[in-house]
């Protein structure tokens, strides 16, 4: 969903975005979700939220994808169908 202003916010709309992407992937499909948003919650909330979607498995791959430019605000996850 989008905010009433019509603007997309990765911080608020990620669950809907992930669900829509996963609905379109083939059974062996993999989604790489990455953001450099400084407002993104990386306190386990994202992983808990996505793991609540039936049929999905999520793995935090941030450490493998961090660059020197975005040390503090980069987060990455591998999401696949189970």
């Amino acid at each position: 969903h989008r905010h009433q202003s019509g603007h997309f916010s990765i911080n608020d709309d990620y669950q809907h975005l992930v669900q829509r992407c996963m609905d379109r992937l083939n059974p062996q499909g993999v989604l790489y979700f990455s953001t450099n948003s400084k407002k993104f919650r990386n306190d386990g909330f994202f992983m808990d939220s996505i793991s609540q979607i039936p049929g999905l498995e999520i793995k935090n791959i941030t450490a493998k994808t961090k660059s020197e430019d975005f040390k503090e605000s980069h987060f990455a996850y591998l999401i696949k169908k189970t």
Side-chain angles (χ1 to χ4, degrees):
H1 83 32
R2 292 178 181 249
H3 297 287
Q4 289 187 358
S5 65
H7 293 120
F8 175 80
S9 168
I10 196 67
N11 302 311
D12 299 323
D13 301 327
Y14 64 84
Q15 190 171 21
H16 181 70
L17 174 68
V18 167
Q19 183 66 60
R20 301 263 331 246
C21 290
M22 297 309 290
D23 287 346
R24 285 158 178 76
L25 286 177
N26 67 36
Q28 293 78 32
V30 174
L31 173 68
Y32 289 91
F33 178 93
S34 176
T35 182
N36 294 323
S37 172
K38 291 180 181 178
K39 295 180 182 177
F40 189 74
R41 286 181 67 181
N42 190 35
D43 57 4
F45 184 80
F46 176 79
M47 289 187 68
D48 290 344
S49 173
I50 298 303
S51 66
Q52 297 298 316
I53 300 172
L56 298 185
E57 179 181 311
I58 183 170
K59 180 178 180 183
N60 188 332
I61 58 170
T62 300
K64 296 179 182 179
T65 62
K66 262 190 182 175
S67 73
E68 292 298 312
D69 295 331
F70 295 101
K71 288 180 187 177
E72 301 300 320
S73 63
H74 173 76
F75 307 103
Y77 303 88
L78 182 149
I79 304 167
K80 63 182 181 178
K81 294 182 178 183
T82 57

